[in-house]
Amino acid sequence: MTEPLRVLILDDDFRVAQLHQGIVEEHPGCTVTETVRSLAEARDSIRSSRPDLLVADVFLPDGDGIALVRESGVDAILISAADDASTVRRALRSGAVGYLVKPFERRALSSLLDRYIRYRNLLSGDRALRQEDIDRAAAILHGAGGPVSISRSATEQLVLAALGDGEASAAEIGERVGISRATAQRHLAALAARTVVEVRLNYGTTGRPEHRYIART
């Protein structure tokens, strides 16, 4: 089963940290490793738990969240009330994969998490990448892969991302996303009913035919 994305949350305001934790934990492809309130705690947590992603404030009592991203080498979504161009440029130069200006809607962070997971899936493993793979991953990360449907659930978005341009069974999709086969089957059936995906039957040598799914273009 695919391991969930491991997320460390850093914010000195515990109420804000709890809010961000709730959004991350609602996402089916993520889990929160820890919530910390200072750069010192974040450094300790990064060393001990090695998170995949950092969701962090920029201005903290003991220093700068952007500097932490640069020194740690951990991908990060930075969140701040700072909306000046120089801060945003500095964040992106330091390795931030996203930047959200406070206040923001819950779905803004959820959408960023969706795109980051799809980006990581496309660039996973040790295989050689085609240029179109790299271009597609960059486009997804920066929101150029088309608008996110408000009516489509986060799990359905993950199912579609796992399906990609290929063909797969419900069991294969469930393993990629980290959900049960039954849950994947339910979401795929709903997507097929809305003609978002196409169902094909694969007749093996024995037993019932296997349902295979492919996204419609």
XYZ file of all heavy atoms in Angstrom, residues 52-58 64-80 86-100 112 115-116 119 138 141-142:
349
model
N 8.138 14.349 4.635
C 8.185 14.584 3.188
C 7.927 16.043 2.852
O 8.411 16.549 1.830
C 7.117 13.728 2.484
C 7.293 12.257 2.750
O 8.402 11.746 2.504
O 6.324 11.618 3.207
N 7.129 16.701 3.691
C 6.688 18.060 3.389
C 6.570 18.855 4.679
O 6.142 18.336 5.709
C 5.326 18.023 2.684
C 4.724 19.366 2.260
C 5.535 19.994 1.130
C 3.261 19.179 1.825
N 6.942 20.132 4.595
C 6.837 21.051 5.719
C 5.776 22.101 5.393
O 5.809 22.700 4.317
C 8.190 21.725 5.944
C 8.322 22.814 7.004
C 8.057 22.239 8.394
C 9.700 23.439 6.938
N 4.817 22.291 6.287
C 3.844 23.382 6.169
C 4.190 24.368 7.267
O 4.013 24.074 8.453
C 2.399 22.871 6.312
C 1.416 24.034 6.314
C 2.059 21.913 5.168
N 4.715 25.542 6.881
C 5.339 26.408 7.882
C 5.010 27.874 7.683
O 4.853 28.355 6.562
C 6.857 26.227 7.846
N 4.954 28.573 8.808
C 4.862 30.028 8.796
C 6.234 30.586 8.415
O 7.260 29.910 8.546
C 4.446 30.527 10.180
C 3.909 31.953 10.143
O 3.939 32.585 9.069
O 3.463 32.434 11.202
N 6.259 31.828 7.935
C 7.526 32.456 7.555
C 8.200 33.119 8.748
O 9.386 32.906 9.008
C 7.308 33.472 6.412
C 8.568 34.311 6.178
C 6.898 32.754 5.128
N 13.511 32.556 10.924
C 12.851 32.690 9.635
C 12.544 31.320 9.026
O 13.453 30.498 8.842
C 13.797 33.484 8.722
C 13.235 33.720 7.348
O 12.004 33.803 7.224
O 14.033 33.826 6.397
N 11.264 31.081 8.722
C 10.868 29.805 8.139
C 11.474 29.552 6.771
O 11.735 28.409 6.398
N 11.709 30.620 5.997
C 12.305 30.452 4.671
C 13.724 29.914 4.795
O 14.143 29.028 4.041
C 12.288 31.783 3.901
C 10.831 32.217 3.638
C 13.043 31.655 2.582
C 10.696 33.570 2.958
N 14.482 30.438 5.755
C 15.845 29.948 5.973
C 15.842 28.473 6.364
O 16.722 27.708 5.955
C 16.533 30.773 7.056
N 14.838 28.052 7.138
C 14.735 26.644 7.528
C 14.540 25.762 6.300
O 15.150 24.699 6.188
C 13.575 26.449 8.503
C 13.263 24.999 8.870
C 14.393 24.396 9.691
C 11.943 24.906 9.643
N 13.696 26.204 5.389
C 13.457 25.427 4.161
C 14.754 25.281 3.376
O 15.094 24.192 2.898
C 12.368 26.109 3.299
C 12.204 25.378 1.965
C 11.041 26.147 4.042
N 15.487 26.380 3.259
C 16.729 26.350 2.483
C 17.754 25.417 3.121
O 18.405 24.633 2.437
C 17.291 27.765 2.379
C 18.541 27.872 1.503
C 18.945 29.303 1.248
N 19.194 30.029 2.487
C 18.422 31.009 2.971
N 17.334 31.378 2.314
N 18.731 31.626 4.099
N 17.879 25.451 4.437
C 18.915 24.654 5.105
C 18.535 23.190 5.221
O 19.406 22.314 5.216
C 19.213 25.215 6.499
C 18.129 24.950 7.520
C 18.451 25.510 8.897
O 18.775 26.707 9.007
O 18.349 24.744 9.862
N 17.238 22.895 5.327
C 16.799 21.514 5.551
C 16.691 20.715 4.271
O 16.820 19.480 4.278
C 15.456 21.498 6.278
O 14.419 21.987 5.433
N 16.410 21.391 3.154
C 16.212 20.677 1.905
C 14.892 19.941 1.816
O 14.676 19.133 0.902
N 13.969 20.217 2.751
C 12.648 19.582 2.736
C 11.691 20.447 1.929
O 11.651 21.669 2.102
C 12.107 19.409 4.173
C 10.709 18.796 4.153
C 13.051 18.548 5.000
N 10.930 19.840 1.033
C 9.916 20.579 0.295
C 8.960 21.236 1.285
O 8.656 20.655 2.335
C 9.127 19.648 -0.625
C 9.942 19.199 -1.827
O 10.991 19.816 -2.102
O 9.530 18.236 -2.498
N 8.466 22.416 0.938
C 7.642 23.153 1.902
C 6.556 23.958 1.222
O 6.730 24.477 0.119
C 8.513 24.085 2.739
N 5.420 24.046 1.917
C 4.385 25.028 1.618
C 4.504 26.089 2.694
O 4.332 25.797 3.881
C 2.981 24.396 1.627
C 2.851 23.381 0.487
C 1.909 25.481 1.509
C 1.559 22.577 0.528
N 4.842 27.307 2.298
C 5.010 28.389 3.254
C 3.740 29.217 3.325
O 3.089 29.482 2.307
C 6.197 29.264 2.855
C 7.564 28.596 3.065
C 8.669 29.415 2.436
C 7.838 28.392 4.553
N 3.389 29.601 4.559
C 2.152 30.334 4.816
C 2.498 31.580 5.613
O 3.191 31.500 6.634
C 1.157 29.448 5.597
C 0.783 28.224 4.755
C -0.082 30.242 5.985
C -0.044 27.201 5.499
N 2.029 32.743 5.137
C 2.416 33.978 5.810
C 1.444 35.101 5.472
O 0.773 35.073 4.441
C 3.834 34.386 5.385
O 4.197 35.622 5.973
N 9.254 40.548 -2.683
C 10.600 40.100 -2.310
C 10.549 38.876 -1.400
O 11.362 37.956 -1.542
C 11.376 41.236 -1.635
O 10.724 41.641 -0.437
N 9.587 38.840 -0.467
C 9.457 37.669 0.411
C 9.035 36.443 -0.377
O 9.568 35.344 -0.177
C 8.441 37.954 1.537
O 8.892 39.045 2.324
C 8.272 36.733 2.436
N 8.088 36.625 -1.290
C 7.623 35.491 -2.097
C 8.758 34.964 -2.973
O 8.970 33.748 -3.071
C 6.407 35.895 -2.953
C 6.014 34.751 -3.886
C 5.234 36.283 -2.063
N 9.506 35.864 -3.613
C 10.631 35.422 -4.443
C 11.669 34.672 -3.612
O 12.202 33.646 -4.035
C 11.297 36.620 -5.132
C 10.506 37.222 -6.283
C 11.408 38.095 -7.157
N 12.125 39.104 -6.398
C 11.658 40.331 -6.133
N 10.451 40.678 -6.586
N 12.361 41.198 -5.444
N 11.943 35.181 -2.423
C 12.923 34.529 -1.543
C 12.442 33.138 -1.144
O 13.241 32.186 -1.081
C 13.154 35.400 -0.304
C 14.311 34.944 0.568
C 14.728 36.047 1.544
N 13.654 36.391 2.461
C 13.475 35.812 3.647
N 14.307 34.847 4.040
N 12.491 36.185 4.442
N 11.133 33.006 -0.875
C 10.576 31.702 -0.513
C 10.724 30.704 -1.651
O 11.147 29.557 -1.451
C 9.111 31.856 -0.124
N 10.401 31.136 -2.861
C 10.474 30.231 -4.007
C 11.915 29.869 -4.338
O 12.205 28.726 -4.704
C 9.775 30.858 -5.213
C 8.270 31.119 -5.037
C 7.693 31.800 -6.271
C 7.519 29.829 -4.732
N 12.834 30.824 -4.201
C 14.253 30.525 -4.438
C 14.781 29.506 -3.433
O 15.699 28.741 -3.734
C 15.095 31.798 -4.335
C 15.044 32.720 -5.519
C 16.229 33.685 -5.513
N 16.330 34.438 -4.264
C 15.787 35.624 -4.056
N 15.074 36.200 -5.017
N 15.931 36.252 -2.895
N 14.201 29.497 -2.241
C 14.695 28.626 -1.169
C 14.133 27.217 -1.248
O 14.528 26.361 -0.448
C 14.346 29.246 0.194
O 14.986 30.496 0.342
N 13.214 26.966 -2.168
C 12.702 25.613 -2.343
C 11.249 25.407 -1.991
O 10.769 24.268 -1.985
N 10.504 26.470 -1.698
C 9.076 26.319 -1.407
C 8.345 25.834 -2.655
O 8.553 26.366 -3.749
C 8.491 27.644 -0.936
N 7.489 24.840 -2.492
C 6.686 24.344 -3.614
C 5.345 25.060 -3.689
O 4.580 24.865 -4.634
C 6.465 22.819 -3.514
C 7.795 22.076 -3.609
C 5.724 22.445 -2.227
N 5.058 25.892 -2.691
C 3.826 26.671 -2.680
C 3.906 27.768 -1.647
O 4.678 27.677 -0.684
N 3.113 28.831 -1.851
C 3.110 29.964 -0.924
C 1.669 30.450 -0.807
O 1.044 30.799 -1.810
C 4.012 31.083 -1.462
C 4.282 32.209 -0.485
C 5.481 32.276 0.213
C 3.340 33.217 -0.262
C 5.754 33.311 1.104
C 3.593 34.249 0.629
C 4.796 34.298 1.308
O 5.052 35.320 2.182
N 1.138 30.444 0.428
C -0.219 30.889 0.675
C -0.201 32.124 1.560
O 0.486 32.147 2.587
C -1.040 29.783 1.356
C -1.329 28.535 0.525
C -2.044 27.492 1.374
C -2.161 28.873 -0.707
N -3.372 22.559 -2.886
C -1.911 22.508 -2.986
C -1.385 21.122 -2.622
O -0.468 20.599 -3.265
C -1.294 23.557 -2.071
C -0.700 24.803 -2.715
C -0.170 25.764 -1.662
C 0.395 24.444 -3.708
N -1.996 18.764 -5.544
C -1.067 18.964 -6.652
C 0.331 18.455 -6.294
O 1.026 17.873 -7.128
C -1.015 20.444 -7.041
C -2.349 20.977 -7.548
C -2.173 22.199 -8.432
N -1.409 23.269 -7.814
C -1.941 24.252 -7.096
N -3.253 24.276 -6.873
N -1.188 25.209 -6.592
N 0.722 18.654 -5.037
C 2.047 18.196 -4.635
C 2.138 16.673 -4.666
O 3.165 16.107 -5.096
C 2.388 18.718 -3.235
C 3.745 18.263 -2.773
C 4.899 18.782 -3.349
C 3.876 17.303 -1.780
C 6.154 18.346 -2.944
C 5.124 16.873 -1.374
C 6.260 17.400 -1.952
O 7.499 16.956 -1.564
N 2.457 15.619 -8.220
C 3.818 15.968 -8.645
C 4.823 14.912 -8.169
O 5.656 14.432 -8.940
C 4.135 17.355 -8.084
C 5.586 17.745 -7.974
C 6.264 18.296 -9.062
C 6.264 17.621 -6.758
C 7.587 18.687 -8.943
C 7.579 18.017 -6.637
C 8.247 18.547 -7.731
O 9.544 18.935 -7.610
N 5.789 19.815 -13.524
C 5.908 21.242 -13.209
C 4.577 21.954 -13.382
O 4.198 22.817 -12.573
C 6.977 21.881 -14.088
N 2.246 21.041 -10.433
C 2.660 21.684 -9.191
C 2.249 23.150 -9.157
O 1.835 23.673 -8.120
C 4.167 21.567 -9.017
C 4.752 22.124 -7.718
C 4.157 21.411 -6.506
C 6.259 21.999 -7.721
N 2.317 23.812 -10.294
C 2.019 25.243 -10.346
C 0.602 25.551 -10.808
O 0.289 26.689 -11.162
C 3.042 25.947 -11.228
C 4.442 25.838 -10.702
N 4.829 26.414 -9.514
C 5.531 25.182 -11.163
C 6.097 26.138 -9.282
N 6.546 25.380 -10.255
